[in-house]
């Protein structure tokens, strides 16, 4: 990599000075090179494949230093040593050892072995948005004066620092001219500099760099697309970057943003999504608001922010803080991926505060559950990824929710096409906690519930961040323009239906009262711990087993095969003040003496159940499967006994906004994170199932993603299509009694593929603005997936639009199903955008119940379907319903024609010779380029933006594997409680 120059103590480096110089080779292959403005480079001759110039990105070898290029701030300086040949600038010989400043339009040439090599300084792009090209002129009199003054200052400084100032004075005959209509040729003659308006900084001394500063640590901007090396520190002048000549007007290999618009705000009503603004596409967001949005625009005005929450996969925190000018004392929480920390068993490893300059910035590494690890062993880890891209901006009067496909790194905001959806929500006059628990039937009002549930799942084990739940209750999300679609890793069961409860947990006694459906909030699936110790260890175990069997014989099982149990607070147990016992008794004539205690709630559940019950905010009741409990008590199985915890509003729920305190935030956050909700495929089905989509009117069903999973097959595609609302038009092969009747099944998918997958061809990637290098860790399609599905004809080329974006990679995850109106009105349908790639890891793999042919597995496994999800993901679905079918007034503003997709529609189907940009295809293309260019191709394999984990090792999860055994720490916890319960009971008898 190139070496950053040391900072001058009197002129500290500022992010505003960062930019890129574009150098164009002179010769038959006019390759475009980019030099970052805080690096030191050198030029030398290469004998590989004949004499030619090469660029050394890291000038460690003194023998190779012929010409030295130093870039710092807005300065580009050239120096050479004797014996280099005959270097010249604009035809004037360059004196050995004399530094010369280069301006836009300057031409440098070197004579070597009778052949002249060289380059032209084509343009300079500053991260502040100032761009000067060889064909540009000052736009106004004022700008011309500023440009000319800056040029004059630089020229005078160069003269004062020169070893031979008289020769430079002779070369500057026009130095006194202040003509504002200065063109590039005049700039070249007068040495007009780069015309940068940022704070000028003194160029670093090359001598200081040569005295040992080349090992200066890499700064925090490593995610900028840089001039990298392939190990030996050199890059050829002939095309190693892969930037095409016809894309020269698009500085797509630079990372400086042409227009940041720090002082401009942006607005969206949530009815559509936008694209990020790319560097060098030539669009002007001031003239065309939909041409692109920048990250600073989304955060503007930064000074009014109260707090910021971000969820991302990869991140460059330093770049974000500098680029968006984040105040040092603004509370910022960033949930991000870290393979080791997210799989760690210790909650202490899941946070970090690495920035002393920003003391209120906290990094959170959300937990991957043990149940999705290989062999349910956290040490073996598994296929999992924290992959959402969410930004929540809180202000006193509003909260902005941003759902994007871009990670928090500069390249994805500057060089790669990504989608951005956002909407502002007003502040309420009073807190509304009911909105955090709104039922799924009221989908237009469940935006807050979905948002708070997703955030809670990420910060659940970080008590200091639990207050975020309370902050969301301050804002009104009723007018949300879309439906949030979240995925959270785990093996999820469908939420059980409402069950009427007779007994509720209370701090002092068990409340006997009939539950009301309108008070029901949700359910949590947990377990009973300590049951094996209770019935296997005591001397009276036989007596307890007989009593347990008798109670279960009298109990009434409901239609779901469960029966209610009694939950009791144990306030007199020193080991855990939050302990909750689970009792079995005759519910019609309940007395505590005439009951059998099964065990306890797990510690991690009891720590939030107890305080929320004690406060009166929530009521809790429990149900178990009697047969499962009996088998565990008799030792037939050693798996956990399931307990379904039902939650309803407590007597103080209506007063919660006035009674809640900081100590309630962590348990409330845990409750919200634990509530069973529809996720992944099930959530998509929940959102889209309310509308009966007319199959015969379908015109498009497409999905464009940057990653397609290894385990994609017709079964998963059918599951996704069914969840998306697709139904067979005529199904004569099945009867209405068939569970799959009316659903889109694998058989339907095999007969007629339902969806078109958009993925770029390898030829399109090769022709991109930055070639294959920028896509190698951005696109993911395993070769075996392509070979398995190529005959289905579902693959289509992903051609970016608008036209200015052709050549720039796409990182979008967009799906759309469109229908034509039979009445000649507007089209209708739905559109998804967000972070979900097309893979079971993101959307979830449906797991079927075990076969009845294996009764032991069927008995030990939970009944009903399950969904195995590996990743944290978040997206938004925008619905334009058929005419007259909208249930919500806010949907009336949606028009599917108003959603401009970032790719050409209809997408062209792969031709016979087309091949997608699979990992193998890209590796082969890179290897081919190495051969053609003499092994001088840079390697960006360590500079990763996306790097979606491979699914090649993904194991097929059997439903029987979902039954978990009691952990050792749970056994110790239960045994401790049992000992203290027995001791207290014996003392009471005495």
């Amino acid at each position: 990599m190139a070496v950053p120059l040391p900072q001058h103590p009197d002129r500290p480096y500022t992010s505003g000075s960062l930019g890129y110089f574009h150098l164009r080779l002179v010769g038959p292959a006019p390759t475009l090179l980019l030099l970052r403005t805080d690096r030191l480079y050198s030029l030398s001759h290469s004998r590989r494949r004949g004499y030619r110039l090469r660029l050394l990105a890291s000038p460690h070898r003194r023998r190779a230093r012929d010409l030295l290029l130093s870039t710092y701030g807005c300065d580009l300086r050239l120096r050479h040593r004797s014996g280099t040949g005959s270097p010249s600038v604009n035809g004037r010989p360059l004196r050995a050892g004399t530094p010369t400043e280069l301006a836009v339009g300057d031409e440098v040439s070197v004579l070597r072995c009778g052949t002249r090599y060289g380059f032209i300084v084509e343009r300079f792009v500053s991260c502040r948005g100032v761009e000067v090209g060889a064909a540009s002129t000052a736009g106004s009199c004022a700008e011309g004066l500023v440009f000319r003054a800056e040029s004059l200052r630089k020229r005078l400084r160069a003269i004062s620092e020169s070893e031979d100032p008289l020769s430079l004075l002779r070369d500057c005959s026009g130095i006194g001219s202040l003509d504002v209509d200065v063109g590039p040729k005049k700039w070249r003659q007068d040495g007009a500099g780069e015309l940068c308006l940022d704070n000028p900084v003194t160029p670093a001394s090359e001598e200081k760099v040569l005295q040992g500063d080349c090992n200066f640590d890499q700064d925090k901007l490593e995610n900028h697309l840089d001039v990298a090396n392939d190990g030996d520190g050199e890059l050829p002048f002939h095309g190693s970057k892969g930037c095409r000549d016809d894309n020269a007007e698009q500085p797509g290999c630079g990372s400086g943003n042409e227009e940041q618009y720090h002082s401009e705000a942006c607005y969206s009503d949530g009815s559509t999504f936008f694209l990020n603004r790319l560097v060098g596409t030539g669009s002007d967001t001031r003239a065309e608001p939909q041409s692109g949005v920048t990250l600073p625009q989304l955060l503007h005005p930064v000074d009014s922010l109260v707090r910021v929450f971000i969820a991302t996969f990869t991140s460059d925190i330093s770049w974000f803080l500098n680029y968006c000018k984040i105040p040092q004392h603004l509370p910022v929480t960033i949930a991000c991926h870290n393979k080791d920390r997210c799989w760690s068993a210790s909650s202490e490893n899941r946070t970090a505060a690495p920035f002393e300059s920003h003391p209120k910035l906290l990094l959170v590494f959300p937990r991957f559950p043990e149940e999705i690890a290989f062999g349910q062993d956290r040490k073996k880890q598994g296929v999992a990824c924290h992959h959402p891209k969410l930004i929540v901006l809180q202000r006193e009067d509003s909260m902005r929710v941003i759902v994007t496909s871009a990670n928090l790194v500069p390249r994805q905001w500057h060089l790669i096409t990504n989608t951005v959806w956002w909407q502002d929500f007003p502040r309420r006059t009073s807190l509304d906690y009911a909105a955090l628990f709104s039922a799924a039937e009221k989908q237009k009002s469940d935006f807050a519930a979905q948002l708070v549930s997703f955030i809670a799942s990420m910060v659940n084990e970080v008590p200091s961040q639990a207050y975020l739940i309370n902050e969301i209750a301050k804002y009104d999300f009723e007018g949300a323009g879309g439906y949030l679609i979240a995925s959270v890793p785990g093996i999820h069961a469908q939420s059980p239906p409402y069950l009427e409860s007779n007994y509720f947990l209370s701090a002092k006694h068990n409340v006997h009262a009939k539950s009301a459906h309108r008070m029901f909030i949700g359910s949590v699936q947990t377990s009973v711990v300590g049951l094996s110790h209770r019935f296997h260890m005591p001397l009276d175990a036989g007596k307890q087993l007989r009593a347990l069997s008798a109670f279960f014989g009298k109990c009434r099982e409901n239609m779901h095969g469960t029966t209610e149990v009694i939950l009791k607070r144990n306030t007199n147990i020193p080991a855990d003040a939050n302990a909750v016992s689970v009792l079995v008794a005759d519910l019609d004539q309940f007395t505590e003496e005439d009951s059998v205690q099964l065990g306890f709630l797990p510690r991690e559940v009891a720590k939030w159940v107890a305080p929320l019950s004690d406060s009166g905010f929530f009521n809790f009741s429990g149900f178990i499967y009697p047969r499962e409990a009996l088998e565990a008590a008799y030792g037939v199985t050693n798996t956990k006994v399931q307990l379904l915890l039902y939650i309803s509003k407590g007597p103080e729920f209506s007063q919660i906004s006035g009674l809640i305190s900081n100590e309630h935030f962590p348990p409330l956050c845990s409750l919200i994170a634990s509530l069973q909700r529809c996720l992944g495929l099930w959530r998509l089905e929940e959102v889209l199932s309310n509308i009966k989509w007319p199959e015969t009117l379908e015109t498009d069903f497409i999905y464009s993603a940057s990653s397609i999973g290894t385990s994609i097959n017709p079964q998963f595609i059918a599951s996704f299509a069914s969840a998306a609302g697709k139904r067979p038009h005529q199904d004569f092969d099945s009867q209405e009694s068939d569970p799959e009747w009316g659903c889109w099944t694998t058989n339907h998918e095999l007969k007629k593929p339902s969806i078109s997958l958009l993925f770029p061809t390898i030829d399109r990637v090769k022709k991109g603005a930055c070639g294959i290098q920028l896509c190698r860790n951005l696109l993911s399609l395993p070769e075996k997936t392509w070979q398995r599905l190529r005959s289905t004809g579902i693959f289509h080329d992903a051609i970016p639009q608008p036209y200015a974006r052709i050549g720039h990679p796409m990182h979008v995850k967009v799906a759309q199903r469109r229908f034509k109106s039979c009445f000649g009105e507007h089209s209708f349908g739905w559109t998804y955008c967000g972070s979900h790639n097309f893979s079971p890891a993101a959307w979830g793999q449906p797991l079927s119940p075990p076969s009845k042919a294996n009764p032991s597995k069927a008995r030990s496994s939970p009944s009903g379907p399950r969904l195995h999800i590996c990743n944290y993901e978040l997206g938004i679905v925008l619905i334009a319903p058929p005419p007259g079918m909208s249930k919500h007034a806010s949907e009336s503003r949606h028009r599917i024609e108003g959603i401009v997709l970032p790719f050409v529609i209809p997408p062209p189907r792969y031709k016979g010779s087309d091949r997608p940009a699979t990992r193998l295809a890209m590796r082969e293309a890179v290897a081919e380029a190495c051969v053609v260019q003499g092994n001088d191709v840079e390697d960006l394999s360590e500079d990763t933006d996306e790097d979606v984990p491979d699914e090649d090792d993904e194991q097929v999860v059997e439903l029987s594997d979902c039954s978990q055994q009691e952990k050792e720490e749970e056994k110790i916890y239960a045994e401790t409680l049992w000992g203290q319960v027995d001791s207290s009971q014996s003392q009471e008898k005495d």
Side-chain angles (χ1 to χ4, degrees):
M1 301 293 292
V3 180
L5 296 179
Q7 298 183 16
H8 284 253
D10 57 333
R11 295 182 182 271
Y13 171 75
T14 61
S15 60
S17 303
L18 185 64
Y20 282 81
F21 287 97
H22 293 203
L23 307 184
R24 177 73 63 179
L25 271 184
V26 177
T31 306
L32 179 66
L33 300 176
L34 292 101
L35 274 62
R36 186 167 139 173
T37 58
D38 59 343
R39 294 291 189 261
L40 177 66
Y41 304 88
S42 64
L43 302 174
S44 182
H45 289 84
S46 174
R47 292 181 175 82
R48 297 180 186 177
R49 304 175 63 86
Y51 280 99
R52 59 188 177 132
L53 282 180
R54 63 182 178 182
L55 180 67
L56 295 180
S58 182
H60 290 293
R61 292 172 290 186
R62 188 177 297 274
R63 62 177 176 81
R65 295 189 194 100
D66 298 330
L67 293 172
L68 191 65
L69 278 172
S70 61
T71 61
Y72 193 79
C74 305
D75 299 305
L76 177 62
R77 306 180 75 192
L78 179 67
R79 155 188 298 236
H80 84 105
R81 61 173 187 169
S82 59
T84 309
S86 301
S88 62
V89 178
N90 302 324
R92 301 189 185 97
L94 185 63
R95 293 173 57 105
T98 302
T100 298
E101 288 195 80
L102 300 179
V104 172
D106 280 347
E107 181 176 343
V108 177
S109 62
V110 181
L111 183 64
R112 179 79 176 191
C113 298
T115 303
R116 188 165 292 277
Y117 305 86
F119 64 87
I120 296 176
V121 182
E122 185 170 277
R123 72 175 69 188
F124 170 78
V125 178
S126 165
C127 284
R128 292 281 185 158
V130 179
E131 176 179 350
V132 179
S136 60
T137 58
S140 66
C141 179
E143 288 178 339
L145 290 174
V146 172
F147 292 162
R148 197 68 186 90
E150 175 68 11
S151 172
L152 178 62
R153 184 194 66 79
K154 290 187 176 183
R155 180 59 61 184
L156 292 175
R157 187 178 65 199
I159 293 173
S160 65
E161 295 177 353
S162 173
E163 298 175 0
D164 187 4
L166 293 179
S167 62
L168 289 180
L169 285 173
R170 285 192 296 268
D171 290 338
C172 298
S173 57
I175 199 169
S177 173
L178 289 176
D179 182 6
V180 297
D181 290 319
V182 178
K185 290 292 183 182
K186 184 67 175 176
W187 290 338
R188 179 188 300 179
Q189 295 169 2
D190 292 346
E194 303 81 13
L195 313 183
C196 178
L197 296 178
D198 297 319
N199 296 330
V201 293
T202 303
S205 169
E206 292 87 353
E207 288 78 12
K208 292 182 179 179
V209 176
L210 298 182
Q211 291 174 0
D213 287 324
C214 289
N215 293 322
F216 190 83
D217 291 336
Q218 298 294 326
D219 64 4
K220 303 294 185 179
L221 296 169
E222 216 41 58
N223 273 297
H224 282 284
L225 187 58
D226 203 352
V227 179
N229 58 45
D230 61 355
D232 66 357
E234 64 182 49
L235 288 173
F237 261 38
H238 290 284
S240 68
K241 291 296 294 182
C243 297
R244 290 163 51 91
D245 303 334
D246 54 358
N247 285 319
E249 72 280 2
Q250 301 177 10
C253 292
S255 67
N257 200 359
E258 292 175 330
E259 296 287 351
Q260 290 187 13
Y261 298 120
H262 285 277
S263 60
E264 292 187 9
C266 52
Y267 170 76
S268 170
D269 63 356
S271 62
T272 186
F273 65 83
F274 301 82
L275 303 180
N276 61 312
R277 189 176 192 278
L278 299 182
V279 173
T281 57
S283 59
D284 187 348
T285 49
R286 291 170 293 186
E288 303 174 34
Q290 295 191 15
S291 65
V293 64
T294 67
L295 192 55
Q297 273 184 288
L298 293 168
L299 271 65
H300 179 81
V302 175
D303 294 340
S304 65
L305 291 174
V306 176
R307 59 182 48 86
V308 175
F309 177 84
I310 299 175
T312 184
F313 179 41
T314 54
S315 59
D316 184 341
I317 310 300
S318 295
W319 165 81
F320 166 70
L321 297 175
N322 293 327
Y323 180 52
C324 296
K325 301 186 182 300
I326 302 300
Q328 290 185 338
H329 294 282
L330 177 67
V332 178
T333 304
I334 301 178
C336 50
H337 179 86
N338 184 289
K339 184 176 181 181
D340 295 328
R341 289 176 177 264
C342 290
W343 278 112
S344 173
S346 172
S347 59
E348 297 178 356
N349 292 335
R350 300 200 190 108
T351 59
F355 296 90
E356 295 182 359
S357 59
H358 289 75
K360 293 187 177 181
L361 186 147
L362 182 69
L363 301 184
V364 176
F365 308 99
R367 179 179 65 94
F368 294 147
E370 193 170 52
E371 59 187 356
I372 69 169
F374 294 140
Q376 297 184 12
D377 184 352
R378 186 181 301 278
K379 295 180 180 179
K380 296 181 180 179
Q381 300 187 357
V383 178
C385 183
H386 183 265
H387 197 250
K389 298 91 169 63
L390 167 70
I391 303 175
V392 180
L393 307 175
Q394 183 181 356
R395 294 183 169 88
E396 290 295 342
D397 59 344
S398 67
M399 177 173 282
R400 172 169 291 185
V401 178
I402 304 169
V403 179
T404 176
S405 63
N407 290 306
L408 200 66
V409 292
R411 286 200 292 187
Q412 293 213 356
W413 284 95
H414 295 162
L415 302 178
I416 300 167
T417 293
N418 281 282
T419 59
V420 187
W421 177 94
W422 77 92
Q423 187 174 351
D424 295 320
F425 300 95
R427 189 182 181 102
R428 295 180 179 273
T429 55
S430 60
L431 277 73
D432 182 10
Y433 284 92
L436 306 185
F437 303 96
S438 58
E441 305 89 69
K442 302 177 181 178
Q443 286 184 1
K444 287 310 293 183
S445 63
D446 80 340
F447 189 96
Q450 292 292 325
L451 177 64
V452 77
S453 175
F454 187 67
I455 293 178
S457 69
M458 293 183 284
V459 302
N460 180 30
E461 295 187 346
V462 188
S464 65
Q465 299 301 303
Y467 72 94
L468 293 169
I469 306 305
N470 190 62
E471 299 304 310
I472 294 175
K474 298 177 181 178
Y475 299 87
D476 183 3
F477 297 89
E478 289 288 335
Y483 304 89
L484 288 177
I485 309 291
S487 291
V488 176
I491 300 177
H492 305 280
Q494 290 183 338
S495 300
Y498 164 77
L499 294 177
E500 188 176 79
S501 306
N502 291 280
Y503 290 86
F504 300 122
L505 178 66
S506 175
K508 297 181 180 179
H509 57 276
N510 296 93
V511 179
H512 183 271
K514 292 287 184 180
S515 60
H517 187 277
R518 61 184 176 86
M519 305 293 287
F520 177 66
I521 284 178
S523 61
V524 173
Q525 185 166 356
T526 180
S527 62
V528 180
V529 299
L531 187 146
S532 59
H533 176 84
R534 179 71 176 106
F535 294 99
H536 297 168
M537 299 299 294
L539 297 177
D540 61 346
K543 178 181 177 181
Q544 293 290 333
L545 282 172
R546 289 191 296 272
L548 180 64
S549 299
F551 282 126
F552 279 142
K554 296 178 183 178
C555 72
R556 298 183 299 273
E557 292 186 15
N558 54 41
M559 60 183 298
H560 303 289
T562 62
T563 186
E564 186 175 2
V565 293
I566 306 295
L567 301 179
K568 175 193 172 185
R569 284 282 282 112
N570 298 107
T571 56
N572 60 340
I573 298 181
D576 186 5
N578 292 321
V580 177
S581 298
V582 180
L583 310 176
V584 176
D586 185 349
L587 297 182
D588 293 330
Q589 300 176 354
F590 169 69
T591 60
E592 191 169 336
E593 293 75 17
D594 191 18
S595 64
V596 175
Q597 183 171 346
L598 284 179
F600 305 88
L601 289 184
R603 182 196 295 270
E604 293 302 310
V605 177
K607 74 177 183 180
W608 54 266
V609 168
L612 293 179
S613 173
D614 295 350
S615 64
F617 295 154
F618 300 94
N619 288 330
F620 299 90
S621 56
F623 290 80
I624 64 170
Y625 294 93
R627 182 176 178 177
E628 188 179 62
L630 275 174
E631 290 179 345
Y634 278 97
V636 177
T637 65
N638 60 352
T639 58
K640 290 183 179 180
V641 175
Q642 297 177 88
L643 185 141
L644 301 178
L645 198 62
Y646 283 75
I647 300 98
S648 56
K649 297 176 183 177
E652 303 298 335
F653 184 85
S654 60
Q655 306 297 322
I656 189 173
S657 59
L659 298 176
I660 197 168
S661 60
N662 292 341
E663 64 183 15
H664 294 120
F665 293 157
L668 180 61
C669 181
S670 297
L671 165 62
I672 293 174
S674 303
L675 284 174
Q676 289 183 280
R677 299 188 185 275
C678 290
L679 298 165
L681 286 177
W682 290 351
R683 171 60 177 170
L684 185 67
E685 183 177 16
E686 180 184 51
V687 167
L688 298 176
S689 62
N690 285 340
I691 297 176
K692 186 176 181 180
W693 303 99
E695 297 294 329
T696 57
L697 300 180
E698 179 186 292
T699 59
D700 297 292
F701 190 6
I702 56 177
Y703 201 123
S704 177
S706 59
S707 177
I708 297 178
T710 300
S711 52
I712 292 294
N713 53 32
Q715 290 79 10
F716 172 78
I717 298 176
S719 298
F720 180 85
S722 179
K726 189 163 184 64
R727 299 292 181 265
H729 177 48
Q730 291 180 332
D731 193 351
F732 301 107
D733 297 332
S734 61
Q735 302 296 323
E736 190 170 351
S737 59
D738 188 339
E740 293 186 338
W741 183 83
C743 296
W744 189 264
T745 64
T746 304
N747 289 332
H748 296 116
E749 187 66 33
L750 292 172
K751 292 178 182 178
K752 184 180 179 180
S754 59
I755 194 168
S756 298
L757 294 182
L758 276 65
F759 200 83
T761 64
I762 186 63
D763 289 338
R764 182 165 301 283
V765 170
K766 286 180 180 179
K767 297 175 182 177
C770 292
I772 290 178
Q773 300 298 348
L774 195 57
C775 298
R776 288 182 64 185
N777 292 306
L778 193 73
L779 301 176
S780 177
L781 171 58
E783 184 72 21
K784 66 179 182 180
T785 302
W786 157 243
Q787 296 298 337
R788 183 169 60 246
L789 298 177
R790 65 183 304 177
S791 62
T792 62
I794 64 176
F795 279 92
H796 295 65
D797 195 6
I799 305 176
Q801 74 166 6
Y803 180 80
R805 291 181 180 264
I806 290 181
H808 290 266
M810 289 195 299
H811 186 245
V812 303
K813 300 92 168 59
V814 173
Q816 187 179 80
R817 194 174 183 216
R818 183 191 293 257
F819 304 83
K820 63 181 179 181
S821 174
C822 57
F823 302 105
E825 300 180 9
H826 299 291
S827 299
F828 56 90
W830 57 265
T831 307
Y832 165 87
C833 66
S835 71
H836 289 79
N837 281 307
F838 196 69
S839 73
W843 286 103
Q845 178 71 55
L847 303 176
S848 301
S851 173
K852 294 181 180 179
N854 191 337
S856 61
K857 286 188 176 182
R859 182 172 57 244
S860 63
S861 300
S863 60
R866 295 266 166 142
L867 191 66
H868 180 268
I869 299 178
C870 297
N871 298 351
Y872 290 91
E873 307 277 3
L874 188 68
I876 191 88
V877 165
L878 310 174
I879 297 180
M885 292 188 64
S886 177
K887 298 180 180 180
H888 308 285
S890 60
E891 284 183 342
S892 62
R893 69 174 182 260
H894 287 288
R895 287 182 54 183
I896 202 164
E897 291 90 351
I899 299 177
V900 180
L901 299 181
F903 39 77
V904 172
I905 295 295
R909 191 186 301 270
Y910 276 19
K911 299 186 293 292
S913 60
D914 286 338
R915 180 186 182 189
T918 64
R919 300 168 187 169
L920 176 61
M922 288 190 286
R923 284 197 298 266
E924 290 176 350
V926 170
E928 179 183 352
C930 288
V931 173
V932 172
Q933 299 177 3
N935 298 319
D936 281 336
V937 177
E938 63 173 321
D939 183 7
L940 294 180
S941 59
E942 299 301 322
D943 195 5
T944 300
D945 277 334
E946 191 64 4
D947 193 16
V948 178
D950 291 342
E951 295 183 34
D952 295 334
D953 297 328
E954 185 174 355
Q955 297 179 354
V956 178
V957 180
E958 299 289 344
L959 191 56
S960 58
D961 295 337
C962 300
S963 300
Q964 298 181 0
Q965 297 183 3
E966 200 168 276
K967 299 178 182 178
E968 191 62 32
E969 57 267 26
E970 291 176 335
K971 292 181 180 179
I972 297 174
Y973 169 72
E975 290 172 4
T976 303
L977 296 186
W978 275 123
Q980 296 184 1
V981 166
D982 294 338
S983 175
S984 63
Q985 289 176 350
S986 62
Q987 291 177 2
E988 290 176 1
K989 293 178 181 179
D990 294 340

